[in-house]
Amino acid sequence: MTGAVHPRVCVSGISTWNQSLVDDLALYEELGIHTIGVATRKVESEDDIARVRSSGLTVANVIGVGQAGLARAMSVAAEVRAPAIIFTTGPAGALEWDEAADRLESSLDEVLPSPARLCLEHTNSLRVDVSFVHTLRDAIDLARRLDIYVCMEINACWAERGLSRTIVEGIDRIGIVQVSDFAVGTLSTPNRLVPGDGDIPLRRIVDQLLDAGYEGVFDLELVGPKIEEEGYRGAIARSCVYLSDLLS
């Protein structure tokens, strides 16, 4: 990879889904990556915690899935000194949306306030197994109610009605922004692309975020068959170049 990675580019551990933490750290060093998101699924021991802490990398966030993974994510975040935690709500099951939100509020009462900023991620509506919040607008509304923050997943909200207005009105609640691309006509999920390879108007959306005053990192979260086919090194390197150029 040529050129330095922009200071606000972060690479999520999700982007190397089938690779070990040891191999991740070696790849980050090779590509000159300085800021990462730690996936709890890859941190299995105190040795793994020590590896992250001694790597010299900045840990921008820790990501866990569902309410069941939140306690683990909070523990890992404390160990690696991460300022933010990304989590999803978990499924609603037979509950209506508002009932599920009430249940989430009750569960968060047991862990808040948290030393790390909690960022609620909204998901593609096909992923009802991991969340009942599927729009950025709903995520921001719920975050205000719970007094937490939002992980804005561009891949899941780029086609929402009134996105620019939602960004402006909710910028105080957007704690992390996840970046990847999507090809119109794709009928499976997750099946993301390297930024710039698909149809998401990333330049427009990133500009809207910056103009609204977003000051956080842009977290590359690449996952799916196209990423596996290209290989992690190539996909991450190209993503860092594209996003660095966009932010510059």
Side-chain angles (χ1 to χ4, degrees):
M1 188 176 72
T2 59
V5 179
H6 191 280
R8 294 176 68 178
V9 171
C10 172
V11 176
S12 170
I14 300 297
S15 297
T16 49
W17 186 263
N18 291 309
Q19 184 167 275
S20 71
L21 177 65
V22 171
D23 288 339
D24 282 353
L25 296 176
L27 180 62
Y28 299 152
E29 182 176 10
E30 178 187 353
L31 296 180
I33 290 162
H34 44 69
T35 305
I36 64 168
V38 171
T40 54
R41 65 189 298 272
K42 294 191 176 187
V43 180
E44 300 176 335
S45 66
E46 289 301 317
D47 287 342
D48 290 332
I49 294 290
R51 290 185 180 99
V52 174
R53 291 182 60 169
S54 64
S55 67
L57 294 162
T58 297
V59 179
N61 61 77
V62 170
I63 184 167
V65 177
Q67 295 177 54
L70 182 55
R72 171 65 176 152
M74 293 181 73
S75 174
V76 172
E79 293 278 3
V80 299
R81 304 185 181 96
I85 295 167
I86 301 172
F87 76 107
T88 58
T89 66
L95 298 177
E96 290 191 358
W97 199 98
D98 289 319
E99 293 173 331
D102 290 341
R103 183 179 64 182
L104 175 63
E105 183 173 18
S106 295
S107 68
L108 290 186
D109 284 343
E110 300 176 7
V111 300
L112 291 174
S114 166
R117 174 181 287 188
L118 297 189
C119 296
L120 172 63
E121 180 181 354
H122 58 101
T123 67
N124 183 298
S125 60
L126 290 176
R127 297 308 308 270
V128 293
D129 56 317
V130 296
S131 179
F132 61 85
V133 180
H134 304 301
T135 69
L136 177 61
R137 184 176 299 176
D138 281 348
I140 290 172
D141 285 348
L142 186 53
R144 288 197 192 285
R145 168 181 166 181
L146 302 176
D147 195 22
I148 59 174
Y149 294 84
V150 166
C151 170
M152 176 182 170
E153 171 55 88
I154 291 179
N155 206 289
C157 71
W158 66 276
E160 281 185 30
R161 177 185 178 188
L163 181 61
S164 60
R165 180 175 178 178
T166 300
I167 289 172
V168 169
E169 294 180 350
I171 197 64
D172 62 310
R173 289 291 160 178
I174 297 176
I176 298 172
V177 175
Q178 288 182 339
V179 183
S180 60
D181 215 334
F182 174 83
V184 171
T186 300
L187 302 178
S188 61
T189 187
N191 194 351
R192 301 177 183 180
L193 302 179
V194 167
D197 285 1
D199 297 301
I200 298 179
L202 289 169
R203 180 174 296 278
R204 186 198 78 202
I205 295 170
V206 168
D207 284 348
Q208 288 169 346
L209 283 158
L210 296 175
D211 290 345
Y214 176 67
E215 297 179 345
V217 299
F218 290 85
D219 191 44
L220 288 164
E221 191 182 76
L222 313 169
V223 61
K226 294 295 185 183
I227 304 303
E228 297 291 333
E229 180 181 325
E230 178 170 351
Y232 299 138
R233 187 192 185 284
I236 291 174
R238 291 201 302 117
S239 296
C240 287
V241 169
Y242 179 91
L243 190 50
S244 293
D245 288 347
L246 203 61
L247 293 171
S248 297

